[in-house]
Amino acid sequence: DKRVKHKKVGALLIYVDDFLVAGKREINDGLLATIRKMWASSEPEHLGPDKDSVQSLRFLGHSIERCGPGMSYPEATITLHQADDILEILMRYSPHTEFRHRGTPGEPVSFAPHTHTAKENPGQVKMKATQETLELMTDNPEGKLEAILGCVLWIATRTRPDIAWSVSRAASVKATSEEECRSRLKHILQYLAY
């Protein structure tokens, strides 16, 4: 019927057997009650201002958090992040590394200035790494660089597009220079630490 106007009242995101419902509480409760009649499920968690709501929840490896009064965001702000996952990656792959603040995820500042010579790899940039850049992952089992690349790629494609280019650069040099890849990964981890 052309007289019926359709109005969006919320959103439903389904991934295999995980549901995320966004909208007004009474509409969410009705939808979830209908779903729970068809499928057995755990008790839903509600993110919101209600007394029975939680401040944060996890969905598909992401933390979804409602920021309240006194925080650095407006009261009704909902943030999506992976801070717990980033911390786990930092602790797993570099627990004893003291991180320096990195203002950008881009080119590591620990590389010496680029030098070009006609005789040494024309068109290639010759990079010299400091001893500090070699500390990360030098005495670790095979496959660690790939594991760290996989972790930071996962983070980049989910909630941190700001590191996507840097992760791509680290992955692209992995086959030709593990030393440069290590240095780039260390820089990315230092950036994520702050």
Side-chain angles (χ1 to χ4, degrees):
D1 188 342
K2 292 183 180 182
R3 294 176 295 156
V4 176
K5 292 190 177 186
H6 297 283
K7 180 178 161 185
K8 293 180 184 175
V9 293
L12 172 63
L13 177 62
I14 303 170
Y15 182 79
V16 185
D17 61 351
D18 294 323
F19 294 86
L20 179 67
V21 182
K24 290 186 177 181
R25 177 70 183 261
E26 57 272 7
I27 295 171
N28 293 353
D29 287 345
L31 177 60
L32 290 170
T34 302
I35 291 171
R36 293 183 81 199
K37 285 178 186 175
M38 292 186 263
W39 292 290
S41 69
S42 60
E43 191 65 32
E45 293 180 303
H46 299 279
L47 186 69
D50 305 316
K51 289 184 180 182
D52 65 339
S53 297
V54 295
Q55 280 296 112
S56 67
L57 54 89
R58 301 267 302 166
F59 182 72
L60 301 180
H62 297 81
S63 294
I64 305 171
E65 193 170 292
R66 181 180 173 85
C67 298
M71 298 182 154
S72 60
Y73 298 100
E75 185 175 339
T77 300
I78 294 178
T79 60
L80 177 70
H81 63 83
Q82 291 179 283
D84 295 337
D85 299 309
I86 292 170
L87 181 60
E88 181 183 331
I89 291 167
L90 293 172
M91 295 309 296
R92 183 184 321 152
Y93 293 112
S94 52
H96 305 295
T97 303
E98 289 188 30
F99 291 110
R100 294 188 323 217
H101 174 67
R102 299 292 187 175
T104 66
E107 294 294 327
V109 295
S110 59
F111 288 154
H114 304 323
T115 58
H116 291 280
T117 64
K119 294 180 181 178
E120 298 175 346
N121 303 323
Q124 296 282 327
V125 175
K126 182 179 179 184
M127 308 190 98
K128 300 175 184 174
T130 64
Q131 182 59 37
E132 178 197 341
T133 63
L134 302 177
E135 293 171 7
L136 184 65
M137 303 162 287
T138 52
D139 59 345
N140 295 304
E142 192 65 33
K144 192 160 187 181
L145 289 177
E146 291 86 351
I148 297 174
L149 277 168
C151 288
V152 293
L153 178 62
W154 181 72
I155 295 288
T157 59
R158 299 301 188 273
T159 58
R160 297 296 301 265
D162 56 324
I163 65 169
W165 181 86
S166 301
V167 173
S168 172
R169 290 292 300 140
S172 69
V173 299
K174 163 66 177 77
T176 57
S177 174
E178 287 195 358
E179 180 180 314
E180 183 179 345
C181 182
R182 274 187 204 96
S183 183
R184 289 181 182 277
L185 285 174
K186 183 171 183 179
H187 185 91
I188 293 167
L189 293 176
Q190 288 175 332
Y191 175 76
L192 289 174
Y194 287 93

